Amino acid sequence: MKKFNIRKVLDGLTASSSSASPQPGNRENDTIQENLQSEHFQLCKTVRHGFPYQPSAMAFDPVQKILAIGTQSGALRLFGRAGVECYCQHESGSAVIQLQFLINEGALVSALADDSIHLWNLRQKLPAVLHSLKFNRERITFLHLPFQSKWLYVGTERGNIHIVNVESFTLSGYVIMWNKAIELSSKTHPGPVVHISDNPMDEGKLLIGFECGIVVLWDLRTKKADYRYNYDEAIHSVAWHHEGKQFVCSHSDGTLTIWNIRTPAKPAQIITPHGKQPKDGKKPEPCKPILKVEYKTTRAGDPFMVLSGGLSYDTVGRRACLTVMHGKSTAVLEMDYPIVDFLTLCETPYPNDFQEPYAVVILLEKDLVVIDLAQIGYPIFENPYPLTLHESPVTCCEYFADCPAELIPAFYSVGSRQKRQGYSKKEWPVSGGNWGQGTQSYPEIIITGHADGSIKFWDASAIMLQVLYKLKTAKVFEKARSKEDKPSTDIVDEDPFAIQMLSWCPESRMLCVAGVSAHVIIYRFSKQEVTTEVVQLLEVRMPYELNDVDSPEAAGEQTPAVSTPGASSSPQTALPPVQTHPSTSSNSSDGPRDNVPCLKVRCSPLKQSPGYQVDLVVQLLWVSGEPPQQITSLALNSAYGLVVFGNSNGLAVVDYFQKTLLMNVGVQELHGSADPFQRQPRSPRKARQPSGGGGLCDANDGSNAAEDRCKSPTSGSASPCNSDEENKHQNFIDKSTVLCLTLNTFFPFQWARLGSSSHEMCHGVLFCFVPPISPVKSKSRRFSKTVANDFAKMSRKLSTIPDQKQDSDAKDSSFSRSRSSSVTSLEREAREVISSFHFSETMGRKGEAVAGPSLWVGTSQGNMLVLPLTVPPSSDLRMQQAPAVSFGGAVTRLKGGVLTMATLDSVGAPLLPPYEVWYDPNLPDEREEKDRWKRRRPATPPGGQEGAAETHYIVLCSEKQAEVLVLPSQNSVFKHNITEASFVLRADVVQMPAGSCIACFCANGHIMALSLPSLRPLLDVNYLPLTDMRIARTFCFSNLGQALYLTSPTEIQRMTYSQETCDNLQEMLCELFTPVETPEAPNRGFFKGLFGGGAQSLDREDLFGEVAAGKASRSLAQHIPGPGGMEGMKGAASGVVGELARTRMALDERGQKLGELEERTAAMMASADSFSKHAHDMMLKYKDKKWYQL
């Protein structure tokens, strides 16, 4: 706190000294009341969405209708009805090998690869471990928990079976040793236990399957084997017939053996489902192993036999299959991914009754599929969970909380038309649990960009996640039919359509997308279907200078030597015409590629469904054999109709209303006379040979100009948008003009639109002067190729050396850093990259009294620049006249690259940029409405004085620092060093219920919050160390204390840093356990009860209890009390109300069970009275009759 007070005093002195000569009405030193305090912040995880990454086990509670999935990282995901999801994690992180529900008890047993078993309590909203048992001497291979039993059978790798009491999690002294089970039936060890189950009709008989092929029917009472069944092939699984007279085994040679329990000599039947039957009666050819089989019976038809694997070995390359055998029919269902496990869902939980299967849940490596067994063709159910997040790898992510309320219904209406047909008509069978009762009601939207060029919009309201709409950006481009047809201009080997970043305006519904192939696509939202005959295309040439005469070494900075094949100092000096078809520029096979884009825009008409429809495509071109650099920053403003993007070469401003390029300028030219490298202005043109044009000019001059297009810049060839005919129209700017342009002067000039004889006036300045860079051609894995730029940026940051201050009086201007990019093999270079943009309605120039449109630009070297904009005041003029962009010069410099910017008004409230109100572009009536073009500007803050000069604040956050400048004086009033040893990965200015702040996520795992505008530290928690580039690429903050990141390739982790949300989290979370009555046991029938043909029960307590079996060895396993016990539950309870609610629920459940017992007792008494009465009447009727009278 002492350090902070000193900094605050120094900042106050700086502000006082900078405003020593105040102007009339200057309010720079006014104190702003800040309401945000540290107690408003608390960090916690909320929910996890997506498909469980690397699943390994699955279980289902047929009464509660809850599905559990375990993963190789020790995670548990539980699913109920749509919107009911829960995530929990084993502390050890070992893989889950098996799961077993305590059916209708609200508990789950998990077995891990570290030979531990855990009991989870599911009766609380956040499941916790009640008990754990760690085996020390044996490895666990199989679990079996009979229905309505508290004794758990544990099979081990040594072939032994131990028995655990799930109530106390203690071992019984009753042990089934492998040598007693097999005796002399085998001379060798039988291998691990692969199956345990009790006979459905006799709980005292236990069926034990060993890996070698031996199956033993063990009598628990007599402690000896009744029967032993031998087969030559290894066993993978065993399944009972519900009558307990037969069982079926699946083997490693692709066969199924069906055994009668009383005839162990040989199997009653051998089936090879996918084997070819030889005509001579020989044994079928071996097939792949059948990994699992289930045998389910029905009352009214043939039984179902469901199995995975078993395909013939000659089916090379065939996908994984699930086989359903029903009577004489066999259905083979191909899956998209390998099968991990499957379960057959049945109507009854009792194993001794007809099973009546109705669905099969199939857990794949990357998907979850449920098949309807009751309908012809076995259709699949429509999955209500957000498990398609990873359908294509996620490459970028954005989170928008408190969006306009009409957005979600609009997206749902257009997205509902995209749903597939042919699903089962029945409801989703996993229907357990209840939704939370949270009060959070504001709409939230998550947008994910993917490697295949698709973009998905998700409804994230109320801690749920549901896909709303999917946009495929790859439809805009031509697709290569084969690898041979793949264009040689690709800068990435795979996923050329991958989304790199996006900018979205929720109010206007405008969407701008940047891809890895250096392309930008601008979309408008429409509810009407339209066919676009020609896709509007704008090609931009952003060359860079390869022979830097005035190197940065003149300014004292070291730059490693790089190869310089040529030099050119000619900037672009004319606006490129919009292309109505893909560029026809050709690249010679014996020369470098030039003026060609990385992707080819489709020429045929494009049918665009309701939703987002392409408005303009912008592509960067190859320049002299060098590929365009990937886009590093992107911004859109719907009120101005502008899109701006930048990379390591410079920035470009595009007017998407008129489909024109307003500015194309190199990074160094942005600084003008304030260039940090102190470059001298030079002539943008040299003596050159006449050029026939290029990809940005008329397409009809293609063949004659191919030679000129491929020339090196050293040959003096002109920019491709300057042709000889344009020379006649005086479209070139002479040297003096360009020098004036460098000094922040704007000149109008004319250019001809392709296919039009009319000339239009456009304001713009075009430069291209960028330091050298090596072409990037990533050869890494597919996922890294799609995000090569992100890897390069992160690698550069990770190698940042400590700051070296040269002069104490140099205010951050001496800050420099060395960086390298090992991931993409870029040479160490001292180049400046455009890192961020911010549109604002504020005072762009120093001392300016009136707020106006402006564009703020941040670079990777911490430079902050401003570009004032001149936008026509009315919508009519805006459609006729393009905005003008001028240079405002450098504002300040921070340590590290600039990450984010925001504007505050005079009372410290966020000054949001103006936006256009959405209208449907395909409805003429809406287009003609004038009020649709009105821009909403923030109202004058309360307390504003009439005639007083307005004061704004610009908030800047870099990788190292945060700074607040007051406008229009551009004086620094607050500065805070966020981190010294690490760097900030993501920073956002967010709105909280009590105010606004800067939220930061650092590479060392710290999440911090700083107040605005004073930059007081409000939160600093060591939360998540940077262990994966995925986290750095996808972490994002949103308003009202929400944040998320991609925790695995298939899962999104949501979190909150709001104390209010943390307090209400218990109410918002879903409930997994709901009181449900257990179905009645099957009726044994009169004759089965009379002659003992029904199921026989077993008092396991008498067999496995301590009195009968004794105590187990203490060295065998160690009992570990879990944090989810009663003490842990009390400590983790949300309060007295939650405790009372749970107690009341338990009492209600107990009362319900007592009521059911009372009703059953009364029914039995009535039945007994009725039987007694009928028996007495029968006795009286035949009392006095002789036997021959009957």
Side-chain angles (χ1 to χ4, degrees):
M1 293 301 294
K2 185 177 180 181
K3 183 180 179 181
F4 169 70
N5 291 334
I6 292 175
R7 186 186 301 113
K8 187 172 182 180
V9 171
L10 294 176
D11 289 341
L13 292 174
T14 303
S16 300
S17 61
S18 63
S19 58
S21 55
Q23 298 178 356
N26 189 3
R27 309 205 313 267
E28 290 186 8
N29 297 322
D30 290 354
T31 302
I32 296 177
Q33 182 68 31
E34 295 181 359
N35 298 322
L36 269 181
Q37 304 297 330
S38 297
E39 52 266 23
H40 291 124
F41 293 87
Q42 182 180 346
L43 201 63
C44 68
K45 295 180 180 179
T46 53
V47 290
R48 181 173 292 197
H49 302 295
F51 182 79
Y53 183 57
Q54 294 180 337
S56 56
M58 179 173 59
F60 182 72
D61 188 328
V63 180
Q64 287 288 320
K65 307 288 186 183
I66 295 293
L67 182 71
I69 297 177
T71 71
Q72 295 182 20
S73 60
L76 282 180
R77 294 286 301 277
L78 297 113
F79 298 92
R81 67 180 61 186
V84 175
E85 297 181 43
C86 184
Y87 162 79
C88 40
Q89 175 73 41
H90 291 91
E91 290 185 1
S92 66
S94 297
V96 179
I97 59 175
Q98 196 174 351
L99 297 172
Q100 284 276 319
F101 270 104
L102 278 68
I103 296 177
N104 204 26
E105 295 294 334
L108 176 71
V109 176
S110 60
L112 305 187
D114 64 352
D115 309 313
S116 63
I117 56 176
H118 308 266
L119 178 65
W120 290 84
N121 178 19
L122 306 183
R123 291 176 178 253
Q124 55 195 63
K125 290 191 172 183
L126 289 174
V129 174
L130 292 171
H131 301 282
S132 297
L133 196 64
K134 180 73 168 63
F135 281 76
N136 299 322
R137 294 184 300 184
E138 296 193 53
R139 306 214 64 180
I140 298 173
T141 57
F142 196 85
L143 298 182
H144 172 61
L145 181 65
F147 179 46
Q148 294 181 329
S149 170
K150 68 175 183 179
W151 297 96
L152 174 71
Y153 301 100
V154 181
T156 68
E157 193 175 36
R158 291 186 179 180
N160 304 324
I161 295 178
H162 302 276
I163 301 170
V164 178
N165 186 327
V166 294
E167 291 182 350
S168 60
F169 246 52
T170 56
L171 277 171
S172 168
Y174 192 112
V175 181
I176 304 175
M177 305 300 291
W178 68 270
N179 52 354
K180 291 184 179 181
I182 66 169
E183 288 187 349
L184 300 177
S185 62
S186 175
K187 297 181 180 179
T188 58
H189 191 279
V193 176
V194 296
H195 178 82
I196 307 172
S197 62
D198 47 355
N199 190 315
M201 287 297 178
D202 188 354
E203 295 177 350
K205 302 297 176 67
L206 197 67
L207 194 69
I208 307 168
F210 297 94
E211 188 182 55
C212 69
I214 298 177
V215 179
V216 177
L217 187 63
W218 181 264
D219 191 324
L220 293 170
R221 299 181 184 89
T222 62
K223 299 183 180 180
K224 65 179 183 179
D226 284 351
Y227 301 102
R228 296 179 181 89
Y229 314 87
N230 289 283
Y231 194 71
D232 296 337
E233 298 294 335
I235 291 177
H236 287 276
S237 69
V238 182
W240 277 102
H241 188 279
H242 83 278
E243 293 179 348
K245 298 178 181 180
Q246 283 186 336
F247 62 89
V248 59
C249 302
S250 69
H251 299 276
S252 58
D253 63 345
T255 59
L256 299 174
T257 55
I258 300 176
W259 300 80
N260 294 325
I261 60 171
R262 298 187 183 275
T263 55
K266 64 176 183 177
Q269 189 178 2
I270 300 177
I271 305 172
T272 308
H274 299 284
K276 296 179 180 179
Q277 299 292 339
K279 296 180 180 180
D280 54 3
K282 294 182 179 180
K283 188 177 180 180
E285 295 180 2
C287 296
K288 297 178 183 178
I290 297 178
L291 302 178
K292 185 175 181 180
V293 63
E294 290 198 348
Y295 196 12
K296 304 299 180 182
T297 56
T298 60
R299 294 182 187 274
D302 296 319
F304 282 87
M305 199 174 289
V306 186
L307 55 101
S308 63
L311 295 178
S312 176
Y313 278 105
D314 59 5
T315 56
V316 179
R318 189 172 181 179
R319 293 182 294 181
C321 295
L322 185 83
T323 304
V324 180
M325 303 171 65
H326 183 218
K328 295 182 179 181
S329 67
T330 300
V332 180
L333 309 176
E334 285 195 355
M335 302 294 152
D336 293 333
Y337 305 101
I339 298 175
V340 177
D341 196 4
F342 73 88
L343 295 171
T344 306
L345 308 188
C346 302
E347 297 287 354
T348 176
Y350 294 93
N352 58 352
D353 193 10
F354 287 97
Q355 302 299 293
E356 302 294 341
Y358 61 90
V360 180
V361 181
I362 310 164
L363 179 62
L364 308 177
E365 283 189 358
K366 294 183 180 180
D367 201 1
L368 181 70
V369 178
V370 181
I371 294 173
D372 187 355
L373 290 179
Q375 293 189 29
I376 300 175
Y378 305 132
I380 65 173
F381 288 87
E382 185 177 7
N383 199 320
Y385 309 133
L387 302 184
T388 59
L389 182 71
H390 65 287
E391 190 175 18
S392 176
V394 178
T395 55
C396 68
C397 189
E398 293 294 337
Y399 190 6
F400 299 87
D402 199 14
C403 298
E406 65 275 5
L407 277 177
I408 291 179
F411 283 132
Y412 181 80
S413 64
V414 297
S416 59
R417 309 180 189 183
Q418 299 178 333
K419 291 185 177 180
R420 291 175 49 190
Q421 304 297 324
Y423 290 112
S424 172
K425 298 179 181 179
K426 295 183 179 180
E427 294 185 358
W428 181 252
V430 185
S431 56
N434 286 322
W435 296 322
Q437 304 297 324
T439 58
Q440 182 176 316
S441 59
Y442 51 84
E444 301 171 76
I445 291 180
I446 295 173
I447 306 179
T448 56
H450 299 264
D452 63 351
S454 62
I455 298 173
K456 292 181 180 179
F457 293 78
W458 306 82
D459 178 11
S461 307
I463 68 173
M464 296 184 184
L465 193 68
Q466 181 182 8
V467 66
L468 292 172
Y469 170 70
K470 180 179 179 180
L471 171 65
K472 297 180 179 179
T473 64
K475 288 184 176 180
V476 179
F477 303 101
E478 298 282 358
K479 292 185 178 180
R481 297 181 181 178
S482 63
K483 292 184 178 180
E484 291 74 14
D485 298 336
K486 192 172 182 179
S488 59
T489 55
D490 284 0
I491 57 175
V492 288
D493 290 340
E494 297 182 22
D495 301 327
F497 310 112
I499 306 300
Q500 192 163 11
M501 60 185 62
L502 55 89
S503 178
W504 184 53
C505 177
E507 290 79 11
S508 66
R509 306 183 191 178
M510 291 295 302
L511 175 66
C512 186
V513 178
V516 294
S517 296
H519 62 273
V520 175
I521 310 177
I522 303 166
Y523 288 92
R524 289 183 180 272
F525 187 85
S526 174
K527 295 182 179 180
Q528 308 296 319
E529 183 176 306
V530 66
T531 299
T532 304
E533 296 296 331
V534 178
V535 176
Q536 296 291 312
L537 172 63
L538 186 64
E539 294 180 333
V540 179
R541 178 183 173 97
M542 295 182 72
Y544 40 82
E545 192 156 0
L546 297 178
N547 190 8
D548 198 353
V549 180
D550 301 323
S551 65
E553 296 168 0
E557 297 190 11
Q558 299 294 327
T559 305
V562 295
S563 59
T564 56
S568 173
S569 60
S570 300
Q572 287 182 245
T573 53
L575 285 177
V578 66
Q579 300 290 313
T580 55
H581 55 78
S583 171
T584 56
S585 300
S586 60
N587 44 310
S588 175
S589 59
D590 56 352
R593 288 182 288 271
D594 194 20
N595 298 336
V596 291
C598 300
L599 301 175
K600 184 179 180 182
V601 175
R602 62 183 296 168
C603 303
S604 57
L606 177 63
K607 183 179 179 181
Q608 304 196 73
S609 303
Y612 274 107
Q613 299 170 353
V614 62
D615 188 59
L616 178 64
V617 178
V618 183
Q619 289 184 289
L620 298 185
L621 303 176
W622 285 65
V623 178
S624 302
E626 300 294 339
Q629 296 304 300
Q630 292 182 347
I631 295 169
T632 58
S633 53
L634 179 71
L636 173 145
N637 187 275
S638 58
Y640 308 148
L642 298 179
V643 166
V644 57
F645 57 89
N647 57 14
S648 58
N649 295 343
L651 67 85
V653 183
V654 174
D655 177 2
Y656 63 82
F657 282 169
Q658 298 190 17
K659 312 294 188 293
T660 59
L661 180 66
L662 299 183
M663 172 179 281
N664 182 7
V665 59
V667 177
Q668 277 68 39
E669 271 64 28
L670 283 172
H671 297 279
S673 58
D675 189 342
F677 295 153
Q678 300 178 3
R679 300 175 185 271
Q680 299 298 323
R682 291 170 295 172
S683 170
R685 292 180 60 206
K686 295 182 179 180
R688 61 180 181 86
Q689 298 176 358
S691 171
L696 305 183
C697 302
D698 196 340
N700 296 326
D701 56 40
S703 58
N704 297 330
E707 214 173 307
D708 289 321
R709 291 193 198 102
C710 301
K711 289 184 178 179
S712 171
T714 54
S715 63
S717 60
S719 176
C721 43
N722 300 326
S723 65
D724 292 335
E725 182 150 352
E726 289 171 338
N727 258 334
K728 299 177 183 178
H729 289 86
Q730 298 179 355
N731 280 337
F732 285 114
I733 304 176
D734 58 16
K735 299 179 182 180
S736 59
T737 305
V738 175
L739 291 177
C740 294
L741 291 177
T742 308
L743 298 175
N744 308 336
T745 307
F746 254 79
F747 287 84
F749 49 93
Q750 298 179 346
W751 55 277
R753 185 182 296 270
L754 183 66
S756 173
S757 59
S758 61
H759 289 72
E760 301 183 15
M761 297 292 293
C762 279
H763 296 273
V765 178
L766 303 177
F767 297 93
C768 48
F769 177 76
V770 182
I773 180 171
S774 302
V776 179
K777 190 72 173 180
S778 176
K779 297 294 183 182
S780 55
R781 295 178 303 166
R782 173 180 180 180
F783 196 71
S784 63
K785 291 171 187 173
T786 64
V787 290
N789 188 69
D790 297 299
F791 275 92
K793 181 179 178 182
M794 287 300 306
S795 178
R796 183 177 69 245
K797 292 176 182 176
L798 290 171
S799 60
T800 302
I801 62 173
D803 305 337
Q804 304 291 335
K805 296 188 177 180
Q806 299 176 359
D807 300 315
S808 58
D809 58 344
K811 187 179 180 180
D812 297 332
S813 62
S814 62
F815 173 73
S816 62
R817 56 183 183 155
S818 174
R819 59 206 179 194
S820 68
S821 179
S822 59
V823 176
T824 53
S825 302
L826 289 175
E827 298 178 0
R828 187 181 296 265
E829 298 167 339
R831 74 176 188 277
E832 194 170 11
V833 179
I834 304 297
S835 59
S836 60
F837 294 112
H838 174 62
F839 284 100
S840 178
E841 195 106 344
T842 185
M843 287 70 75
R845 299 182 185 274
K846 193 170 184 179
E848 196 173 42
V850 181
S854 59
L855 172 63
W856 298 75
V857 182
T859 72
S860 60
Q861 293 186 357
N863 289 309
M864 184 69 196
L865 306 101
V866 62
L867 302 177
L869 306 174
T870 303
V871 182
S874 66
S875 59
D876 293 337
L877 290 176
R878 177 63 186 87
M879 296 306 295
Q880 299 174 7
Q881 184 180 359
V885 188
S886 56
F887 289 99
V891 177
T892 186
R893 188 173 189 181
L894 287 77
K895 293 182 179 180
V898 180
L899 299 177
T900 189
M901 296 165 276
T903 313
L904 307 179
D905 61 15
S906 58
V907 296
L911 194 64
L912 301 179
Y915 56 85
E916 175 192 29
V917 180
W918 177 76
Y919 71 97
D920 197 322
N922 296 323
L923 293 179
D925 295 339
E926 292 194 13
R927 185 184 301 179
E928 293 174 0
E929 291 182 13
K930 302 299 182 183
D931 57 351
R932 291 288 180 181
W933 293 96
K934 291 182 179 178
R935 297 188 292 272
R936 297 182 183 177
R937 291 182 171 84
T940 303
Q945 302 175 2
E946 289 293 335
E950 187 63 38
T951 300
H952 290 172
Y953 299 90
I954 183 76
V955 181
L956 315 173
C957 186
S958 71
E959 297 167 344
K960 295 285 186 179
Q961 291 179 326
E963 185 175 10
V964 176
L965 306 178
V966 64
L967 302 178
S969 65
Q970 299 183 1
N971 294 325
S972 176
V973 290
F974 299 103
K975 182 179 285 190
H976 177 75
N977 289 325
I978 300 175
T979 177
E980 293 292 342
S982 184
F983 56 91
V984 179
L985 289 168
R986 177 71 184 238
D988 289 291
V989 176
V990 295
Q991 296 184 22
M992 302 287 287
S996 56
C997 65
I998 301 178
C1000 304
F1001 172 55
C1002 296
N1004 59 7
H1006 284 252
I1007 292 180
M1008 292 177 281
L1010 305 174
S1011 69
L1012 289 177
S1014 65
L1015 302 180
R1016 288 182 297 111
L1018 300 173
L1019 175 72
D1020 189 351
V1021 178
N1022 188 1
Y1023 170 73
L1024 182 72
L1026 180 62
T1027 56
D1028 199 322
M1029 286 297 304
R1030 182 188 312 106
I1031 299 174
R1033 188 176 62 254
T1034 58
F1035 198 104
C1036 53
F1037 296 97
S1038 189
N1039 293 329
L1040 303 177
Q1042 305 298 327
L1044 64 82
Y1045 59 92
L1046 206 66
T1047 185
S1048 74
T1050 63
E1051 295 170 291
I1052 278 182
Q1053 177 66 57
R1054 294 170 65 180
M1055 53 177 287
T1056 181
Y1057 49 95
S1058 167
Q1059 179 67 53
E1060 181 182 356
T1061 305
C1062 290
D1063 293 340
N1064 299 328
L1065 185 59
Q1066 281 289 333
E1067 297 180 3
M1068 297 166 61
L1069 293 175
C1070 60
E1071 294 181 357
L1072 290 170
F1073 179 79
T1074 55
V1076 180
E1077 180 181 356
T1078 303
E1080 292 187 6
N1083 189 4
R1084 297 172 62 185
F1086 176 76
F1087 290 104
K1088 287 186 177 181
L1090 183 63
F1091 298 106
Q1096 300 181 25
S1097 61
L1098 173 70
D1099 190 351
R1100 294 183 176 89
E1101 185 69 31
D1102 292 343
L1103 289 175
F1104 307 144
E1106 186 175 338
V1107 176
K1111 292 185 178 181
S1113 173
R1114 292 187 177 182
S1115 61
L1116 182 61
Q1118 177 186 2
H1119 176 258
I1120 305 171
M1126 289 304 299
E1127 296 79 12
M1129 288 174 61
K1130 290 177 182 178
S1134 59
V1136 179
V1137 177
E1139 196 68 38
L1140 290 176
R1142 279 188 288 274
T1143 305
R1144 185 174 66 252
M1145 183 180 297
L1147 290 175
D1148 291 343
E1149 185 181 348
R1150 185 177 178 220
Q1152 183 180 0
K1153 290 184 177 180
L1154 289 175
E1156 294 172 2
L1157 180 61
E1158 185 178 357
E1159 291 176 2
R1160 291 182 184 178
T1161 304
M1164 291 176 63
M1165 291 179 62
S1167 177
D1169 291 342
S1170 176
F1171 179 77
S1172 175
K1173 182 180 178 181
H1174 284 296
H1176 184 70
D1177 292 343
M1178 187 71 69
M1179 184 267 296
L1180 293 177
K1181 180 178 180 180
Y1182 297 102
K1183 178 179 179 182
D1184 299 328
K1185 292 187 178 183
K1186 303 297 182 180
W1187 64 269
Y1188 54 83
Q1189 293 176 331
L1190 297 178

